[in-house]
Amino acid sequence: MGAAALVFTLGACSKRAPPSAPKPTIAEAWAAAKLPKLPRTPVIPARRTIVLPVPPRRGPPDNPVLVTLGKKIFFDERLSEPPGTSCASCHDPARAFSGSHGSRIGVPLGSRPGHFARRSTPSVLYLRYVPAFYYFEDDEAPAPEPRGGFFWDGRSDSLADLARQPLFNPDEMNAGTPRRLAGKIAGGPYAKDFLAALGPSSDPQAILRGVGLALEAYLKSDEMTPARSKYDDYVRGRATLTEQERQGLEIFKDRRRGACSGCHRMAETSTDPAESMFTDYGYDAVALPRNPSLPGSRNPASFDLGLCERKGAKIPSSDERFCSSFRTPSLRNVAVRDSLGHSGVYKNLREVVAFYANRAVAPDRVYRAGKKFDDVPPKYRRNINIYAPVYNRREGAPPPLSDQEIDAVVAFLGTLTDAPFVKAAAAGSAPVAQLPPR
């Protein structure tokens, strides 16, 4: 009887408290409230620090005719004055399209003895993904941040326009005038190909525009976007990292140690190489030490100010807060390069990683004769990044990376070398230069 009474009582309770009606969906609630329909508008993406917009590939698929023509122009040694220097002389295919043209001072030699480019040669692989210069609006940043553009200072938004600068720079290819260049194109072995691809013209400026378009087609082609590194195979599930490489990857991402991925952005869970270019296309004043080998370094009042020196740009960046900032380079194929940093001050990858590990905590191991930030004018030293990890450590504190951890990061960066350049990376690596003991 007691159990029966309990069942009866529970049943009576359930009748007095019937279950509540299900909640309406958002659409049902909207309709019940008789609210007007919202207009259809384009989706506005959120602006957040952790978001890296992947630049879409601009333009149509590869035009084989234009790509082939651009490749011929890229390797044409007749275009310089004196003849003998092509685009490929500095952007050497053996070094993943970077290089120094035989120079040992950190920046490439031009077409004439004693003439050198102002800055080191970046690789021209993966240029398909580089966006035009713009300001990135971040809700967490005090002001919009500059990003994109070609060259170390982002001064060119177009590959077609970019080609003009090394061609006519007297310290680089020294090609003379558009008319002289047009004459060489017209008398060259690919003159008929040029005519077929771009049409007839006697206007030197039109021919120069054609040269730019052909070079742009080649530099944005699939051939120049290989994505064939061990890292690419790793994220595709086709390769396994060694223990040292895996450790290096973890340090690369760890904000307490390497903090590299803060600027050298990557997406380990994506197989799309555009999402792992190992750059955010942004600018930073990291204050590399002065390269004493450069001709301009002989003048102690001469400084390369980077971003704030852009001239004639549609979107200006002349604000003094941008002085001494340079674009964050992609780290793909970085192990193949024979000079690193905008001034080419470093000749091997381990030196660069050691710089980042020691700049804040042991500047005496980084800067010569104790002259901290010696390649930044005193008036612009307020622009130097001293707030982001690992720059925000106090001098004398333990370094964020041990020697073994530096080696691990270098090992991981080696996995970013595309397959065609792996042997060149091994053969061309400079000897490891250890920092002096503290």
Side-chain angles (χ1 to χ4, degrees), residues 47-371:
R47 298 194 298 268
R48 298 174 58 195
T49 303
I50 60 170
V51 175
L52 175 62
V54 177
R57 180 183 175 182
R58 298 188 297 274
D62 291 352
N63 177 336
V65 174
L66 209 53
V67 169
T68 300
L69 175 62
K71 186 173 183 177
K72 291 177 180 178
I73 294 172
F74 189 86
F75 287 89
D76 190 350
E77 296 181 348
R78 302 174 309 110
L79 302 183
S80 68
E81 196 60 44
T85 300
S86 69
C87 303
S89 298
C90 297
H91 298 283
D92 183 359
R95 289 198 172 272
F97 292 85
S98 65
S100 57
H101 194 204
S103 164
R104 295 183 179 274
I105 67 173
V107 296
L109 178 68
S111 63
R112 296 177 292 169
H115 288 261
F116 298 89
R118 189 183 185 195
R119 296 173 182 145
S120 65
T121 307
S123 171
V124 290
L125 293 173
Y126 299 102
L127 296 188
R128 170 188 295 178
Y129 299 124
V130 180
F133 185 86
Y134 70 105
Y135 283 93
F136 178 70
E137 296 185 41
D138 187 331
D139 290 338
E140 298 180 15
E145 301 172 351
R147 292 192 179 178
F150 297 104
F151 292 109
W152 281 102
D153 57 7
R155 67 184 182 271
S156 178
D157 280 340
S158 160
L159 284 173
D161 292 336
L162 174 150
R164 296 170 178 255
Q165 300 192 38
L167 274 169
F168 297 112
N169 188 324
D171 289 324
E172 297 186 43
M173 291 182 70
N174 189 43
T177 64
R179 184 171 298 277
R180 178 185 289 179
L181 182 73
K184 290 184 177 182
I185 295 291
Y190 49 81
K192 291 183 178 179
D193 298 334
F194 194 97
L195 182 65
L198 297 161
S201 177
S202 58
D203 178 8
Q205 290 296 336
I207 292 173
L208 182 57
R209 284 194 294 273
V211 168
L213 290 172
L215 285 171
E216 180 176 46
Y218 174 55
L219 294 174
K220 284 187 175 181
S221 68
D222 292 341
E223 180 179 340
M224 300 297 282
T225 316
R228 294 173 55 197
S229 69
K230 182 176 182 178
Y231 172 82
D232 291 305
D233 285 342
Y234 164 69
V235 297
R236 293 166 183 155
R238 302 172 186 167
T240 303
L241 301 183
T242 67
E243 179 57 28
Q244 187 184 42
E245 292 165 349
R246 186 201 60 76
Q247 182 188 16
L249 170 58
E250 294 306 313
I251 296 169
F252 188 91
K253 298 183 296 182
D254 188 346
R255 289 178 59 84
R256 300 166 301 170
R257 295 184 290 171
C260 313
S261 61
C263 295
H264 297 283
R265 297 291 180 87
M266 55 177 289
E268 191 181 355
T269 58
S270 173
T271 59
D272 183 355
E275 296 190 58
S276 289
M277 280 292 103
F278 292 86
T279 176
D280 61 358
Y281 306 100
Y283 292 79
D284 202 0
V286 301
L288 290 174
R290 196 170 180 85
N291 183 350
S293 300
L294 300 186
S297 294
R298 297 166 190 162
N299 178 1
S302 175
F303 294 94
D304 185 349
L305 299 182
L307 180 57
C308 71
E309 290 185 346
R310 288 170 73 245
K311 306 296 183 185
K314 294 179 181 178
I315 304 176
S317 62
S318 56
D319 192 305
E320 286 192 351
R321 66 191 173 98
F322 298 138
C323 289
S324 299
S325 288
F326 296 87
R327 188 160 75 78
T328 301
S330 168
L331 297 182
R332 282 181 172 265
N333 296 297
V334 67
V336 186
R337 298 173 198 168
D338 58 1
S339 62
L340 299 112
H342 68 274
S343 64
V345 63
Y346 290 121
K347 304 301 184 290
N348 71 71
L349 194 49
R350 194 184 193 282
E351 289 180 327
V352 181
V353 180
F355 161 78
Y356 286 108
N358 288 279
R359 197 204 77 178
V361 300
D364 56 308
R365 301 179 69 192
V366 171
Y367 298 99
R368 296 172 180 84
K371 296 180 179 179

